[in-house]
Amino acid sequence: MSRKRVVVIEGEDAAPEAVRPSVALLARLAGDIEWVYPPVGARGMDAGGSPFPPEARAAIDASDATLFGATSGLSALALFYLRWGKQTYANVRPTRYLRGCPSPLAHPDGIDFVIVRENLEDLYVAVEGDVQGLAPLGLQSFTLQRPVADLKPGTFALKVITELGTDRVARFAFDLARRRKAHGRPGRVTCATKHNMLPRTDGLFRARVERVAGEFPDIELQTFIVDDFARRLVAEPHSLDVVVLPNLYGDILSDAAAGLVGGLGLAASGCYGDTYAYFESAHGSAPDIAGRNIINPTATLLSGAMMLEHLGFAAPARRLEAAVAAVYVEGRHLTPDQGGCASTTEFCTAVADRL
Ligand code: IPM
Ligand code: MG
């Protein structure tokens, strides 16, 4: 297999403290990777006055994948390029209970599902404006029964769902359910939308998912209204396999899902497009614990395992996941968010010892 090239963007605040030892472990597991560190964020500002200079973009374009820490804002331009520039439309966020993690549930054992969040559309087209500016459009509010521009001063945000954007993330979700079924999972996709209130946008999302389901007769489709789904996520997480969600619901509910199994410190994530993928923990940059060497690197490590698999290093990926799981079962080297008192370094050493 040919040598792979991975861009590393460490991000801000405590994120680099999770990324550095994670890269050391990943490098040890899969020797055939060249690690590239373009100047992004503060380093970009120092080097050329831009947090995302052209050479950083070129480095991403010339790479097979990016491992991203977490952004506090400075490296956000790079993140936006990784999403919208590289069209990474499927954000995969696994929720798997690792024995030894503090879960608020009485019986978290066996929770194993994946949220596939549409990653580019919905409210994330990020078009906002003043309500009054809508006057020329003559938009009638269905609930207010009058033109929306008649409202007192205020603002709006635009929600966009497209057929193509939904079809591709739906296919990704069904395909993932099929791959998981081959490994004993139930072969089920669950779709949640607010189609009762938003029949045009969320209704379209649901209709396109239903249509794509026709291409996958071996996979079952369930659809729920998203508020009802939120309850099911908490009350019946064991029943879930692959969940496909519009962008904002996926953002919110994937954090909720992480809360079921031990918190954001464990929340791995990968964003896949047709020609590129990047990997990033779902948590933020944790400014409150920056510089203390106590950030839980599990989310970064497990995102790294997803990356190894994507790059063709499936066996090392499984070894890394197994080593992380073993550290949790043993429970002697857990970070403070997991009720332990180990440092990030101690946790990573414990993982390395179990590889
Ligand atoms: C995430 C984050 C981002 C998002 C932020 C940092 C823009 O919350 O990856 O879940 O909303 O997508
Ligand atoms: Mg989020």
Side-chain angles (χ1 to χ4, degrees):
M1 194 168 51
S2 64
R3 191 169 168 78
K4 301 292 183 189
R5 187 183 295 157
V6 170
V7 162
V8 181
I9 299 173
E10 294 180 340
E12 287 88 43
D13 302 325
E17 297 162 47
V19 173
R20 284 172 199 149
S22 298
V23 170
L25 274 172
L26 294 166
R28 190 173 139 182
L29 273 158
D32 231 9
I33 295 178
E34 179 191 348
W35 303 89
V36 184
Y37 292 80
V40 170
R43 280 186 48 231
M45 296 299 284
D46 292 346
S50 161
F52 188 51
E55 62 260 44
R57 179 182 166 140
I60 290 171
D61 289 342
S63 70
D64 295 292
T66 291
L67 184 67
F68 196 99
T71 183
S72 69
L74 255 187
S75 53
L77 282 178
L79 181 67
F80 293 167
Y81 182 65
L82 288 165
R83 281 194 198 174
W84 287 275
K86 303 303 275 183
Q87 288 287 296
T88 49
Y89 56 82
N91 182 357
V92 175
R93 298 192 155 174
T95 298
R96 189 144 53 91
Y97 180 66
L98 297 180
R99 212 167 279 176
C101 286
S103 164
L105 301 177
H107 304 290
D109 253 341
I111 292 177
D112 178 5
F113 64 89
V114 182
I115 289 179
V116 179
R117 161 194 180 192
E118 196 290 315
N119 211 26
L120 307 176
E121 305 191 336
D122 192 355
L123 283 155
Y124 281 69
V125 296
V127 176
E128 298 182 294
D130 293 321
V131 167
Q132 264 73 40
L134 296 171
L137 295 175
L139 295 173
Q140 191 74 17
S141 161
F142 181 69
T143 45
L144 298 167
Q145 292 290 309
R146 57 187 173 126
V148 72
D150 284 0
L151 289 170
K152 298 256 175 334
T155 51
F156 71 87
L158 196 65
K159 171 167 170 126
V160 176
I161 303 286
T162 70
E163 295 178 0
L164 175 105
T166 309
D167 289 358
R168 60 188 182 180
V169 77
R171 277 198 191 95
F172 190 102
F174 278 96
D175 199 61
L176 178 62
R178 190 176 265 173
R179 277 181 278 137
R180 283 166 58 90
K181 193 176 181 183
H183 292 99
R185 298 294 302 155
R188 183 183 306 126
V189 170
T190 304
C191 171
T193 46
K194 195 75 190 177
H195 50 274
N196 49 343
M197 268 313 287
L198 300 168
R200 297 292 307 276
T201 46
D202 279 19
L204 179 65
F205 191 92
R206 186 171 79 133
R208 298 306 291 196
V209 170
E210 280 170 345
R211 202 179 132 130
V212 168
E215 299 167 21
F216 296 82
D218 50 322
I219 303 299
E220 178 199 345
L221 172 67
Q222 290 179 324
T223 64
F224 296 113
I225 296 179
V226 67
D227 44 354
D228 174 40
F229 172 74
R231 178 194 61 79
R232 289 170 192 271
L233 175 71
V234 174
E236 309 162 5
H238 294 87
S239 71
L240 301 173
D241 182 10
V242 174
V243 181
V244 66
L245 296 169
N247 203 341
L248 186 64
Y249 307 144
D251 176 44
I252 296 167
L253 293 173
S254 59
D255 276 29
L260 292 177
V261 296
L264 285 172
L266 290 109
S269 160
C271 298
Y272 302 79
D274 289 331
T275 58
Y276 197 77
Y278 80 93
F279 300 83
E280 170 198 31
S281 57
H283 60 65
S285 61
D288 52 323
I289 54 167
R292 296 175 55 198
N293 191 29
I294 56 165
I295 185 171
N296 187 345
T298 305
T300 307
L301 284 169
L302 295 181
S303 302
M306 291 172 76
M307 183 180 78
L308 289 185
E309 174 158 26
H310 173 72
L311 294 175
F313 304 108
R318 294 292 92 77
R319 274 179 66 205
L320 177 56
E321 287 169 354
V324 169
V327 171
Y328 277 95
V329 168
E330 197 210 32
R332 286 201 299 125
H333 303 280
L334 303 186
T335 45
D337 61 304
Q338 301 297 309
C341 53
S343 67
T344 308
T345 313
E346 281 158 0
F347 180 91
C348 288
T349 304
V351 173
D353 288 345
R354 282 154 192 80
L355 281 175

